[in-house]
Amino acid sequence: MENLYLPQLAVIDQIVDETPDTKTFTLHFLDERYNKAFSYKPGQFVEVSVFGKGEAPFGLCSNPLRKGNFRITVRATGTVTNALHEAKVGDVFGVRGPLGNSFPFEEVMGHDILIVAGGIGLPPLRSLIEPIFDKRNKFGEFTILYGARTPTDRVYKDALEEWAARDDVRLLQTVDRADETWTGPVGVVTTLFEKIKVDPKRTFAFTCGPPIMIRFVIQDLLAMGFADDHIISTLERYMKCGVGKCGHCAIGHKYICVDGPVFSWRQIKVLPER
């Protein structure tokens, strides 16, 4: 990235309706050379500009090992996200990035991996899940726990079916409120802990979701014996400018957008309350 403030033009290739209020956009950069050189790591994010509306940060949810395009998943909650939801294939936006730090990937090879996601917290973790599948023999036991409000509110339903059919990962899902189609567990995602066996000493846990969910997930992981450095989360919900200038994401002496958004529990627990 040559200029932190200069967005590159990117065009929408595909739009997938995930839930009634969430869509996934696949994009590529119009500049062929820039698009070919574009690379990122699991957990990084981009700033997307909707011309005339504004700019907002979005975690990359695509596989960083697969080049040529990238994906973001967007819940319609404000001016920029609502404008994105009105877009169609072929529309062009400005994109800055990749920005921020990343999930440890090569650093956790050889260990067991536990993913704990809630609702729209699955997208940034998908940028880690898919590379693990690509390098599956580099990792130990692989477990994914996913919770959502309802069956309809689950994102990536096709991918969830594919993951559930694999024999090299254990995927457990739960919902807060079942409907007539749901035959799985009902309850918050932490209720799934009693259904799995993990060795905290050889497992790294990655979690993302609503703040209240993350709080209880970390509380349970600590009770299970996980070390502070083996619990990894992302705090991207606080970010705005993406380059540490606006101060919107400052918590104590940390800027979430440049020092994070990925932090271990050892780092998070010393941050001031916000």
Side-chain angles (χ1 to χ4, degrees):
M1 184 171 57
E2 297 177 352
N3 187 325
L4 286 174
Y5 303 99
L6 181 64
Q8 293 287 325
L9 297 179
V11 61
I12 296 177
D13 297 325
Q14 184 183 42
I15 302 172
V16 175
D17 292 317
E18 302 286 357
T19 75
D21 64 0
T22 303
K23 295 183 179 183
T24 293
F25 300 84
T26 301
L27 304 100
H28 76 273
F29 292 102
L30 290 178
D31 184 320
E32 186 174 341
R33 189 168 63 175
Y34 188 92
N35 192 64
K36 187 175 181 180
F38 182 69
S39 64
Y40 57 94
K41 297 179 179 178
Q44 288 195 290
F45 67 97
V46 292
E47 293 276 350
V48 178
S49 300
V50 181
F51 305 119
K53 299 295 183 181
E55 184 183 60
F58 299 99
L60 290 156
C61 61
S62 42
N63 186 341
L65 301 182
R66 311 281 181 89
K67 289 197 171 187
N69 55 38
F70 60 96
R71 295 192 306 265
I72 57 172
T73 296
V74 179
R75 173 175 287 172
T77 59
T79 302
V80 174
T81 54
N82 279 310
L84 276 167
H85 270 239
E86 293 174 1
K88 57 185 181 301
V89 171
D91 284 353
V92 174
F93 299 99
V95 176
R96 293 191 291 125
L99 300 167
N101 68 354
S102 60
F103 291 121
F105 181 62
E106 294 182 353
E107 297 87 341
V108 298
M109 287 182 176
H111 291 82
D112 296 345
I113 303 297
L114 171 62
I115 302 285
V116 187
I120 198 69
L122 186 57
L125 292 170
R126 187 175 182 181
S127 71
L128 177 66
I129 292 170
E130 291 186 337
I132 290 176
F133 282 136
D134 280 0
K135 304 283 186 181
R136 188 62 190 89
N137 63 341
K138 301 288 187 182
F139 298 87
E141 296 294 323
F142 189 17
T143 304
I144 301 172
L145 308 181
Y146 181 44
R149 289 177 298 181
T150 69
T152 301
D153 289 317
R154 294 173 304 141
V155 295
Y156 310 144
K157 296 178 185 65
D158 290 344
L160 290 170
E161 284 191 19
E162 293 176 9
W163 300 347
R166 297 179 66 118
D167 59 7
D168 59 355
V169 63
R170 185 177 188 192
L171 169 65
L172 296 179
Q173 301 179 67
T174 184
V175 297
D176 295 341
R177 298 190 306 276
D179 61 18
E180 65 280 3
T181 69
W182 186 253
T183 59
V186 176
V188 296
V189 72
T190 51
T191 62
L192 298 176
F193 283 139
E194 64 186 28
K195 301 179 183 295
I196 63 171
K197 290 184 178 180
V198 295
D199 180 352
K201 293 183 179 179
R202 58 168 288 113
T203 304
F204 277 85
F206 297 83
T207 184
C208 188
I212 187 66
M213 184 214 84
I214 293 177
R215 180 181 305 176
F216 283 104
V217 166
I218 291 175
Q219 178 180 297
D220 285 1
L221 291 173
L222 292 171
M224 293 162 67
F226 276 78
D228 292 350
D229 288 331
H230 280 221
I231 302 173
I232 313 292
S233 188
T234 177
L235 302 179
E236 63 184 43
R237 64 187 180 280
Y238 295 120
M239 298 184 305
K240 190 170 179 65
C241 77
V243 292
K245 299 300 182 185
C246 73
H248 186 269
C249 67
I251 303 180
H253 64 290
K254 296 288 187 182
Y255 287 90
I256 302 304
C257 64
V258 293
D259 296 311
V262 175
F263 294 92
S264 69
W265 173 240
R266 183 179 299 281
Q267 296 168 313
I268 295 173
K269 72 179 187 179
V270 297
L271 295 176
E273 291 285 342
R274 179 169 178 173

